[in-house]
Amino acid sequence: MIDTRVKTIFNYYGFRHQLGKLKEECLELVEAVETFQSTLNAFDWAHVEEEMADVLNVLEQFQLQGFARMRIDEIRDSKLDRQIARIAKEKEAAK
């Protein structure tokens, strides 16, 4: 089910603004992860979750607008397959 709030936000702010927002949210996620890694504190993990949600919200705005949706899915699928192959090689090497 499509959340209409996602489309409303993107339509109001527009492509260029939300592209900047994506960059901002990704940077905030990196900072939150770095903090959590240094503290291993549950409060800091909650901040990581919050920033993950922000990144997903902005990504969904772009996906809903159709910007490279098909390409993103194809690339994602390829990367997942590649990582599964790496894991299989690592398991085989560990035998």
Side-chain angles (χ1 to χ4, degrees):
M1 179 192 234
I2 296 173
D3 187 331
T4 58
R5 297 172 295 178
V6 172
K7 189 172 186 173
T8 299
I9 293 166
F10 189 89
N11 288 341
Y12 181 78
Y13 290 108
F15 177 86
R16 181 165 264 189
H17 180 272
Q18 289 311 91
L19 195 59
K21 184 56 76 174
L22 177 60
K23 179 180 172 182
E24 175 188 322
E25 297 299 351
C26 286
L27 290 170
E28 289 175 5
L29 175 57
V30 168
E31 291 170 358
V33 168
E34 287 175 347
T35 299
F36 175 73
Q37 285 180 316
S38 68
T39 66
L40 298 178
N41 179 311
F43 174 78
D44 292 323
W45 178 251
H47 187 210
V48 171
E49 292 175 324
E50 182 180 329
E51 296 305 334
M52 285 179 174
D54 288 342
V55 170
L56 286 172
N57 280 336
V58 180
L59 285 173
E60 188 176 359
Q61 291 172 36
F62 284 93
Q63 289 180 317
L64 187 60
Q65 297 301 320
F67 290 106
R69 173 70 180 181
M70 224 24 160
R71 181 114 170 90
I72 291 169
D73 288 344
E74 290 171 9
I75 293 168
R76 189 169 173 249
D77 190 51
S78 173
K79 288 179 178 275
L80 289 169
D81 287 342
R82 186 175 63 206
Q83 191 60 40
I84 294 299
R86 286 180 185 147
I87 290 169
K89 284 181 184 179
E90 288 176 18
K91 285 182 175 181
E92 188 60 35
K95 288 183 179 180

